[in-house]
Amino acid sequence: MVPLMGQLGVDARWDIIKGNDPFFGVTKKFHNALHGRQEKITARDFELFMVTTRQNIAELELSGDMIFIHDPQPAGLISRKKEIGKKWVWRCHIDLSHPNPEVWDFLQPFVVEYDAAVFSAPAFSRELPIRQFLVSPSIDPLSDKNRELPREMIDTVLAKYGIPDDKPIITQVSRFDYLKDPVGVIQAYELVKRSIDCRLVFAGGTASDDPESDQVLAEVRERAGSNSDIHVLLVPPGSDVDINALQRASTVIVQKSHREGFGLTVTEALWKAKPVVASAVGGIPLQVKNKFTGLCSHGIEGTAYAIRQLLTNPGYAKWLGENGREHIRYNFLITRHIRDYLLLCLALDHEGDVIYL
Ligand code: UDP
């Protein structure tokens, strides 16, 4: 988005806060707790959060007419608003509909200092005394993650990861995170496999700011065991062409999350006209219109049932995938996202004015 905005004459910059392992331990707990998971948060956790916030406040060069702060981790940077002025927007990517009250009570005093909050879906938001906007995320269709790939490149990536192209491939791409239910994906696959011969690819990464991912990966590997039809892939960060190729090589793409932000993996899969089976959580229902742009499923058996339905009805699967691609084209590409951001800037800059579009 930054280069595209540049071409439109908007001088946009992107910056990143710094943190250490203890901070990431806290922010991961906050993330889970804001998604409604039970977490044990201590006074020390809140203090650690503030220590890193203060360091970043001191180090970051914050300037601009409009400052967007993404997600809870850097939310405390708002303390610099008094000194810098200008308009500040809190861009929240997660589902705040059922947060752990302790973490939300801690975060809310920061959030209400912003001029506006942006959520990815209406259901994610909370009642706040500031203006709220709805802006869905998006994908860039020309990026390595999403551009068309020649068949040879897809075959090369399959060979690189040791995946024979001999039977249908069911894929989930996700960070190794409990909220993505990787073991549930394997269980659903095992049910499908009883009647249809197919492979499972679980492609994911571990993230430096995610202290749980190594443990989740170990559990997934243990559950997969020595089954040569289950491919648990640890994909290095930045392997966008590999992820693209794995998605394109798939017969069905699954996203069996317990909780989700917007679910960009679903956007990416639909853009590739893939039939998707996904749980109706977070932003997924905005993308997967059940039985029109994919199938929404519940639980392990429901997921297995939907996958079987797609594997045995290729015509139906193709129709869902094609509808999915059109849905993404109209609603979730980067150009729409930039237009929304520019409208948001106009709305904040001309508060009270009538804007003719
Ligand atoms: N992704 C990736 N490599 C991985 C796992 C995920 O590049 O090993 C990408 C995926 O293609 C998507 C993003 O990370 O673009 C994940 O976004 P999503 O909204 O699905 O989930 P989040 O990780 O933000 O919860």
Side-chain angles (χ1 to χ4, degrees):
M1 287 175 76
V2 169
L4 269 184
M5 284 203 175
Q7 287 179 2
L8 293 172
V10 180
D11 176 14
R13 280 187 303 119
W14 180 270
D15 222 331
I16 300 170
I17 57 164
K18 292 199 192 92
N20 53 16
D21 287 347
F23 174 71
F24 294 143
V26 173
T27 53
K28 177 71 189 201
K29 276 207 260 182
F30 280 17
H31 177 84
N32 288 337
L34 290 169
H35 267 301
R37 210 172 94 168
Q38 210 53 41
E39 288 284 348
K40 203 169 165 328
I41 317 268
T42 63
R44 172 100 186 109
D45 292 334
F46 291 125
E47 180 50 29
L48 267 171
F49 182 90
M50 288 315 299
V51 168
T52 306
T53 297
R54 281 192 288 269
Q55 278 164 0
N56 281 295
I57 285 174
E59 284 172 21
L60 273 181
E61 243 189 71
L62 286 167
S63 59
D65 297 312
M66 215 48 92
I67 298 169
F68 286 77
I69 303 293
H70 290 250
D71 273 338
Q73 294 91 326
L77 295 176
I78 188 69
S79 324
R80 286 196 66 190
K81 185 180 175 195
K82 285 190 193 76
E83 158 210 341
I84 296 176
K86 311 295 182 184
K87 301 284 186 194
W88 289 63
V89 178
W90 189 56
R91 203 300 176 225
C92 178
H93 292 272
I94 58 181
D95 179 355
L96 280 188
S97 54
H98 300 92
N100 166 317
E102 209 186 350
V103 176
W104 177 242
D105 286 351
F106 172 75
L107 204 61
Q108 190 179 17
F110 296 119
V111 172
V112 298
E113 291 300 315
Y114 285 80
D115 294 287
V118 177
F119 292 93
S120 297
F124 285 16
S125 63
R126 300 202 63 71
E127 231 174 83
L128 291 169
I130 57 174
R131 294 176 78 183
Q132 297 194 40
F133 294 83
L134 167 65
V135 179
S136 309
S138 63
I139 56 166
D140 177 357
L142 304 179
S143 64
D144 278 349
K145 181 73 67 67
N146 297 302
R147 67 182 162 89
E148 296 279 343
L149 294 180
R151 185 67 224 185
E152 311 83 73
M153 202 178 273
I154 296 171
D155 292 340
T156 306
V157 172
L158 286 180
K160 172 175 158 186
Y161 289 101
I163 307 167
D165 189 16
D166 54 352
K167 36 188 152 179
I169 297 176
I170 318 298
T171 299
Q172 176 160 312
V173 174
S174 290
R175 289 176 297 104
F176 288 97
D177 184 321
Y178 292 114
L179 294 179
K180 310 285 184 183
D181 195 18
V183 170
V185 174
I186 297 180
Q187 289 170 309
Y189 163 77
E190 286 168 345
L191 290 181
V192 174
K193 175 85 175 171
R194 284 185 194 170
S195 53
I196 304 174
D197 193 17
C198 55
R199 294 187 177 278
L200 174 67
V201 171
F202 197 104
T206 57
S208 59
D209 69 344
D210 185 350
E212 285 176 339
S213 51
D214 288 332
Q215 192 187 334
V216 177
L217 173 60
E219 286 176 27
V220 172
R221 283 193 167 140
E222 192 185 326
R223 188 66 179 73
S226 57
N227 188 334
S228 59
D229 284 344
I230 302 182
H231 305 263
V232 179
L233 312 180
L234 182 57
V235 182
S239 308
D240 288 3
V241 172
D242 289 9
I243 296 287
N244 186 347
L246 292 169
Q247 288 168 329
R248 287 184 188 278
S250 306
T251 319
V252 172
I253 292 193
V254 177
Q255 192 61 52
K256 201 197 158 303
S257 306
H258 292 307
R259 290 268 193 279
E260 201 40 85
F262 184 68
L264 282 173
T265 50
V266 171
T267 330
E268 292 158 7
L270 293 176
W271 177 244
K272 292 165 184 109
K274 293 293 164 183
V276 169
V277 173
S279 357
V281 295
I284 290 175
L286 294 176
Q287 306 184 64
V288 177
K289 303 288 171 192
N290 194 29
K291 300 183 186 171
F292 183 63
T293 65
L295 297 179
C296 286
S297 67
H298 300 276
I300 292 164
E301 301 211 339
T303 303
Y305 178 83
I307 296 172
R308 268 198 303 264
Q309 202 183 355
L310 295 176
L311 292 179
T312 49
N313 294 284
Y316 180 49
K318 185 163 183 282
W319 180 77
L320 291 175
E322 282 165 2
N323 290 345
R325 180 173 165 90
E326 289 314 297
H327 186 54
I328 301 306
R329 187 197 308 282
Y330 285 111
N331 297 292
F332 304 117
L333 295 186
I334 191 171
T335 35
R336 189 237 74 229
H337 200 165
I338 288 177
R339 187 189 61 205
D340 284 355
Y341 267 21
L342 295 179
L343 284 172
L344 167 60
C345 292
L346 266 181
L348 286 183
D349 238 8
H350 296 263
E351 227 157 310
D353 290 1
V354 177
I355 301 170
Y356 294 97
L357 301 171

